[in-house]
Amino acid sequence: TQNIEAFQIYSKGLFHWNRQTADGRQEAVKYFNEAIKLDPNFAEAFAYLADTYSLAFFYGEKIDNLAGNELAVKAKENAAKALEFNPNCTVAMTALSVIYFRESKKEEAHNLLQKALAIN
């Protein structure tokens, strides 16, 4: 992003995402969404938002009263947006692979992880 304010808010989201706790993920979602409001083309914010939702789905957590398949849908939507803006966004690919793995789509998960590894 070229939007400094969006980047600063996104960075706060990364801080909370890096805590790797349910509370951290809850906070991260707020910051990533705020960054996206400031820059609706911010691929990395969409990607980390997708990853946050996918991890909450994987661990059986709730975010903003969303749980289970609702989290999976949000993860997929945000990963798709990230990949629309950056087709080589490995964070979005890994977020999708987590969802596919939990949905027993192991081949799709494996293929996305292989693609992400090849890129990064």
Side-chain angles (χ1 to χ4, degrees):
T1 182
Q2 298 298 312
N3 184 318
I4 299 294
E5 186 179 0
F7 182 78
Q8 290 172 332
I9 291 168
Y10 159 80
S11 295
K12 289 178 184 178
L14 284 179
F15 169 82
H16 290 286
W17 177 87
N18 274 309
R19 291 172 45 209
Q20 291 301 306
T21 64
D23 289 340
R25 283 184 277 282
Q26 182 70 44
E27 285 297 309
V29 163
K30 292 176 191 174
Y31 287 109
F32 295 142
N33 276 318
E34 194 174 331
I36 289 165
K37 284 180 187 172
L38 292 170
D39 182 355
N41 300 321
F42 195 170
E44 289 82 5
F46 279 109
Y48 277 97
L49 184 57
D51 193 62
T52 306
Y53 284 128
S54 72
L55 290 172
F57 174 71
F58 184 81
Y59 291 122
E61 300 166 356
K62 284 186 174 184
I63 293 181
D64 295 334
N65 294 321
L66 299 175
N69 288 337
E70 295 169 315
L71 291 169
V73 168
K74 293 293 262 182
K76 289 176 184 177
E77 289 172 353
N78 285 286
K81 287 296 275 185
L83 291 167
E84 176 185 326
F85 297 122
N86 178 4
N88 291 321
C89 184
T90 58
V91 173
M93 290 176 198
T94 57
L96 279 176
S97 72
V98 169
I99 300 299
Y100 291 156
F101 178 79
R102 288 281 285 165
E103 292 176 339
S104 296
K105 298 176 182 174
K106 300 210 177 12
E107 187 174 339
E108 290 94 330
H110 176 79
N111 290 342
L112 268 176
L113 286 175
Q114 292 290 14
K115 183 176 180 179
L117 282 170
I119 292 169
N120 193 9

